Amino acid sequence: PVGIIEAKKEGEVFRVLSNMDGEFSFQDLRPGKWKVKIYTNGLPSQYSIVREESTIDLTLGQEYFLEVPIKQKVYKIKFQKSVK
């Protein structure tokens, strides 16, 4: 699903869109600690993200792989006895 991913550090904010497979890439992040937030707008309502925000610490030239676990919401359905 397509979603918005945001990286923030000391007043800098970068946003990218994921592709249809949920993959995304930032090209302009400099070294340092970044807060990465996943916005769930494009996620079907029966799913949720385990952790919407992560902190990553990048070094010069580093590639960082961030896995975003998604879980299916569990619904309890209670059946009522029919009255005749």
Side-chain angles (χ1 to χ4, degrees):
V2 177
I4 299 171
I5 299 86
E6 176 182 87
K8 292 171 88 171
K9 179 184 98 149
E10 300 169 1
E12 294 180 88
V13 178
F14 293 94
R15 290 185 185 98
V16 294
L17 290 175
S18 70
N19 64 19
M20 292 304 289
D21 293 326
E23 300 169 334
F24 61 92
S25 177
F26 287 98
Q27 301 297 319
D28 301 324
L29 299 184
R30 293 183 286 173
K33 288 190 179 186
W34 292 86
K35 286 193 183 269
V36 178
K37 184 171 181 176
I38 311 296
Y39 291 92
T40 59
N41 306 19
L43 198 61
S45 62
Q46 67 267 28
Y47 294 95
S48 66
I49 294 177
V50 175
R51 186 179 59 242
E52 290 183 6
E53 190 170 292
S54 299
T55 301
I56 61 173
D57 194 1
L58 297 176
T59 58
L60 186 63
Q62 178 185 9
E63 288 188 23
Y64 190 93
F65 178 78
L66 178 65
E67 187 172 350
V68 181
I70 296 174
K71 67 178 182 177
Q72 188 169 8
K73 292 180 183 176
V74 177
Y75 297 98
K76 290 186 179 181
I77 300 173
K78 189 173 184 178
F79 292 97
Q80 296 179 341
K81 294 180 181 179
S82 62
V83 179
K84 293 185 180 182

